[in-house]
Amino acid sequence: MAASTLVSAWGPLRPGVPGLCRCRQPRGLWAHAWRLPEPAGSGRSVAAVSGPGISGTDRYCLELLRKRDYEGYLCSLLLPAESRSSAFALRAFNVELAQVKDSVSEKTIGLMRMQFWKNTVDDIYCDSPPHQPVAIELWKAVKRHNLTKRWLMKIIDEREKNLDDKAYRNVQELENYAENTQSSLLYLTLEILGIKDLHADHAASHIGKAQGIVTCLRATPYHGSRRRVFLPMDICMLHGVSQEDFLRKSQDKNVRDVVYDMASQAHLHLKHARSFHKSVPVKAFPAFLQTVNNT
């Protein structure tokens, strides 16, 4: 799911429970979608970030991120200069995969696109990337940082399995999806930063799961507008909530209880990640910047 589709972040739902995203409380559970403010002049902003020597493929990744994953774009700007272009390539790769599901009308077409990226990753590791901007930049990142192939493949495989329009059966299934997508992306970002540390990996695993749960929550109004609900069925059944309740944007207490339980599970992962803060190398902290959202 591309970041451009993420909508409506919920703040604290009950007194005493910290909001995961540190956002202002919406006026209603189904408040209007919000986005981070866009730069005033897109062309000049990209040029200012990248400098005069930027290649066409690098610019393509930068612009793709700015349009489709603005939070990832901002956080990548704060990485060390020597890691920045590789981070742009990695996140652009993630955007390309994430937007497949919403851009195809048939699953078969989506499977074909996923196969293209599987073949592309194979070709990258054979030093023969296709003439596609993201693929070329990703190849440069792999060569520069010796990125682990299996993390890239895990992201593709999990996105491919997610092409089915089915709700998660339980929260563990959602966490597995988040581990193989969001956490894998963080493992690769750590490699770009030159970090190989078990504590950092443990923190990345929990942060990725927290991000996956929050992303699922934030995307619920968007998916509802397309007559889709992906929230874990076990939590919905626990509170007696049907998919139709979300489709009609109900604000009943049982609906809020579903959101609360999911947010609490994400917050638990965030607490686990924070428990490693004294053990994680300081150099690894920039990889986790996207866990902090602006108010």
Side-chain angles (χ1 to χ4, degrees), residues 22 63 67 83 117 224 236 257:
R22 300 185 182 276
E63 188 65 18
K67 289 180 178 178
S83 304
W117 283 107
C236 292
D257 286 342

Side-chain angles (χ1 to χ4, degrees), residues 166-186:
K166 295 180 180 178
Y168 299 102
R169 289 175 297 178
N170 48 57
V171 71
Q172 288 76 26
E173 197 172 86
L174 172 56
E175 288 176 341
N176 289 338
Y177 173 77
E179 168 68 29
N180 290 325
T181 53
Q182 299 289 346
S183 298
S184 292
L185 195 64
L186 290 174

Side-chain angles (χ1 to χ4, degrees), residues 167 228-231 233 241-248:
R228 298 173 180 172
V229 178
F230 297 110
L231 298 175
M233 290 187 288
V241 176
S242 68
Q243 291 192 350
E244 188 61 33
D245 290 324
F246 285 99
L247 294 178
R248 61 183 176 84

Side-chain angles (χ1 to χ4, degrees), residues 62-126:
L62 198 65
E63 188 65 18
L64 179 64
L65 266 192
R66 191 193 67 81
K67 289 180 178 178
R68 312 295 285 183
D69 180 9
Y70 195 57
E71 294 175 14
Y73 166 77
L74 290 178
C75 292
S76 297
L77 292 179
L78 298 174
L79 295 179
E82 64 273 14
S83 304
R84 213 169 290 150
S85 62
S86 296
F88 288 142
L90 179 61
R91 289 199 169 274
F93 165 74
N94 186 58
V95 168
E96 289 279 6
L97 295 174
Q99 62 189 5
V100 168
K101 185 172 181 176
D102 285 339
S103 63
V104 298
S105 55
E106 297 179 10
K107 181 182 176 181
T108 303
I109 300 174
L111 291 172
M112 291 171 62
R113 293 192 183 179
M114 292 299 183
Q115 187 59 50
F116 165 79
W117 283 107
K118 288 181 181 180
N119 295 340
T120 293
V121 171
D122 283 334
D123 291 341
I124 282 173
Y125 282 85
C126 292

Side-chain angles (χ1 to χ4, degrees), residues 133-183:
V134 175
I136 291 171
E137 287 301 310
L138 187 61
W139 170 69
K140 293 178 184 177
V142 167
K143 295 286 286 183
R144 192 177 297 129
H145 305 285
N146 193 27
L147 300 181
T148 302
K149 181 180 179 180
R150 77 173 180 277
W151 300 131
L152 295 170
M153 285 301 198
K154 273 182 177 287
I155 297 173
I156 301 173
D157 289 340
E158 199 65 33
R159 295 283 189 187
E160 183 179 78
K161 287 190 289 185
N162 198 241
L163 289 174
D164 292 318
D165 284 339
K166 295 180 180 178
Y168 299 102
R169 289 175 297 178
N170 48 57
V171 71
Q172 288 76 26
E173 197 172 86
L174 172 56
E175 288 176 341
N176 289 338
Y177 173 77
E179 168 68 29
N180 290 325
T181 53
Q182 299 289 346
S183 298

